């Protein structure tokens, strides 16, 4: 997979991914989580912007 994303902790151009892995965009430096993978004739990975949960005030 060579798509302008880098798997966190893995600096190779091509890598295996699985649901729950996080990828960083080379362009925006935003981190995305893989929420679904489809393998077959039309393979793709569905990504979702990863938002680090912050402790709520007074918690």
């Amino acid at each position: 997979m060579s798509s302008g994303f880098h798997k966190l902790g893995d600096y190779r151009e091509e890598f295996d991914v699985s649901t729950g892995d996080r990828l960083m965009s080379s362009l925006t430096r935003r981190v995305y989580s893989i929420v679904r993978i489809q393998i077959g004739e039309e393979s793709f990975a569905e990504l979702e912007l990863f938002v680090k949960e912050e402790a709520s005030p007074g918690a």
Side-chain angles (χ1 to χ4, degrees):
M1 179 172 132
S2 182
S3 63
F5 284 93
H6 297 283
K7 185 174 177 183
L8 296 183
D10 188 346
Y11 299 100
R12 295 173 289 158
E13 274 296 312
E14 296 183 14
F15 45 84
D16 293 327
V17 294
S18 57
T19 304
D21 283 352
R22 292 187 210 154
L23 304 176
M24 179 184 288
S25 168
S26 300
L27 299 174
T28 64
R29 301 291 184 214
R30 287 185 171 175
V31 176
Y32 296 86
S33 293
I34 297 179
V35 293
R36 185 166 75 109
I37 297 174
Q38 177 175 316
I39 299 173
E41 195 170 305
E42 294 184 27
S43 299
F44 67 88
E46 186 176 323
L47 305 176
E48 177 179 273
L49 185 60
F50 175 75
V51 179
K52 188 175 183 179
E53 292 184 24
E54 297 180 22
S56 58

